[in-house]
């Protein structure tokens, strides 16, 4: 299970850092800060969930979370920028008319005409220029993880009938984005099953890959969304 693997890795890193701080002493005591940071991340993946990152509905993070998590955030944000500079993948792609998906964007990178932005990251602050470009919706999900259907389905049902063009993103626009975008296609009526919806997303953005947990979550979301959709059993025109 990806969440427990992440929890184990960060817990081991925290233990190692704490050991070094205790062993070396002196200035090395400063290592306790990244140790605490990695411990909080481990706890998030072990069960605390995305709330441990302090992501607010306006796309910013709580000050306490930034302070405690800063060593982890510096590594994460630095790695994200490195991938952005080195990657040849497009920043965003259009799946169907009215739905764009991609990586987290910087201010000025948002495609023209976007009315709503759905931010799936828990570990990033959304740039102010993106938050103010239109309607902003925050649905924080831990990297390589999922949320309960009861939390996600109502958001997707609302977005499916909302006006204007939608942009969905996580960090790189692959796992979390692929899962949620595929579910949205079902909510909109663009696809009648999870497999078809995911194929549509992957045709637009080939690097989209779901973990086994995310694939199961998509199947559960598809079932819930189809059950609530009028004429769910009818064939697409």
């Amino acid at each position: 299970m990806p969440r427990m693997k992440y929890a184990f890795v960060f817990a081991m890193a925290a233990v190692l850092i704490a050991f070094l701080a205790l062993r070396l002493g002196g200035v090395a005591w400063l290592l306790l800060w990244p140790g605490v940071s990695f411990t909080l991340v481990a706890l998030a993946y072990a069960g605390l969930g995305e709330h441990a990152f302090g992501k607010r509905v306006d796309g910013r993070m709580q000050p306490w979370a930034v302070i405690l998590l800063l060593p982890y955030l510096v590594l994460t944000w630095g790695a994200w920028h490195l991938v952005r500079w080195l990657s040849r993948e497009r920043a965003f792609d259009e799946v169907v008319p009215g739905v764009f998906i991609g990586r987290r964007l910087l201010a000025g990178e948002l495609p023209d005409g976007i009315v709503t932005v759905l931010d799936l990251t828990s570990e990033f602050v959304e740039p102010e220029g993106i938050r103010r470009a239109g309607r902003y919706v925050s649905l924080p999900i831990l990297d390589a993880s999922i949320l309960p259907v009861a939390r996600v389905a109502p958001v997707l049902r609302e977005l499916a009938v909302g006006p204007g063009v939608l942009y969905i993103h996580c960090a790189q626009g692959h796992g979390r984005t692929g899962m949620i975008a595929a579910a949205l296609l079902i909510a909109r009526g663009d696809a009648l099953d999870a497999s078809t919806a995911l194929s549509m997303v992957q045709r637009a953005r080939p690097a989209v890959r779901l973990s086994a947990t995310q694939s199961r979550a998509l199947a559960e979301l598809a079932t819930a969304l189809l059950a609530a959709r009028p004429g769910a059993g009818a064939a697409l025109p």
Side-chain angles (χ1 to χ4, degrees):
M1 185 176 182
R3 284 186 64 153
M4 295 314 297
K5 290 179 181 178
Y6 276 57
F8 177 79
V9 169
F10 283 108
M12 290 300 98
V15 169
L16 177 59
I17 290 171
F19 172 78
L20 289 175
L22 293 170
R23 180 78 173 179
L24 299 176
V27 177
W29 282 105
L30 293 174
L31 290 172
L32 289 179
W33 188 8
V36 170
S37 179
F38 290 169
T39 297
L40 185 54
V41 175
L43 290 173
Y45 279 99
L48 282 182
E50 68 285 348
H51 303 294
F53 284 81
K55 186 75 172 273
R56 305 189 330 189
V57 295
D58 64 359
R60 293 180 290 181
M61 297 176 73
Q62 297 285 359
W64 62 262
V66 174
I67 293 171
L68 290 178
L69 291 168
L70 189 58
Y72 166 80
L73 295 176
V74 168
L75 288 175
T76 300
W77 297 349
W80 179 84
H81 279 289
L82 183 62
V83 171
R84 180 175 65 86
W85 291 330
L86 297 178
S87 177
R88 295 183 179 180
E89 184 180 29
R90 290 188 296 270
F92 54 82
D93 297 281
E94 186 176 28
V95 181
V96 295
V99 178
F100 283 79
I101 64 172
R103 62 163 170 81
R104 173 180 178 265
L105 300 176
L106 299 177
E109 291 185 314
L110 195 67
D112 293 335
I114 298 296
V115 172
T116 302
V117 173
L118 176 59
D119 173 14
L120 304 175
T121 66
S122 57
E123 71 276 25
F124 287 94
V125 173
E126 191 77 349
E128 184 177 1
I130 303 294
R131 299 197 311 265
R132 295 191 175 185
R135 183 189 178 201
Y136 171 77
V137 179
S138 178
L139 185 66
I141 306 174
L142 293 175
D143 190 18
S145 191
I146 62 173
L147 288 177
V149 170
R151 282 191 58 190
V152 178
V155 176
L156 295 182
R157 292 191 191 104
E158 179 189 353
L159 293 175
V161 297
V165 182
L166 172 67
Y167 183 69
I168 304 172
H169 79 86
C170 54
Q172 299 299 336
H174 298 156
R176 290 169 286 185
T177 294
M179 172 180 62
I180 296 301
L184 178 73
L185 295 183
I186 294 171
R188 282 167 43 104
D190 296 306
L192 280 176
D193 59 77
S195 178
T196 300
L198 183 58
S199 294
M200 293 171 66
V201 172
Q202 290 174 326
R203 279 198 298 271
R205 195 166 179 84
V208 166
R209 293 290 183 274
L210 305 190
S211 67
T213 300
Q214 289 172 332
S215 294
R216 288 192 295 270
L218 174 57
E220 293 174 4
L221 272 169
T223 299
L225 292 168
L226 287 169
R229 202 176 72 194
L236 286 173

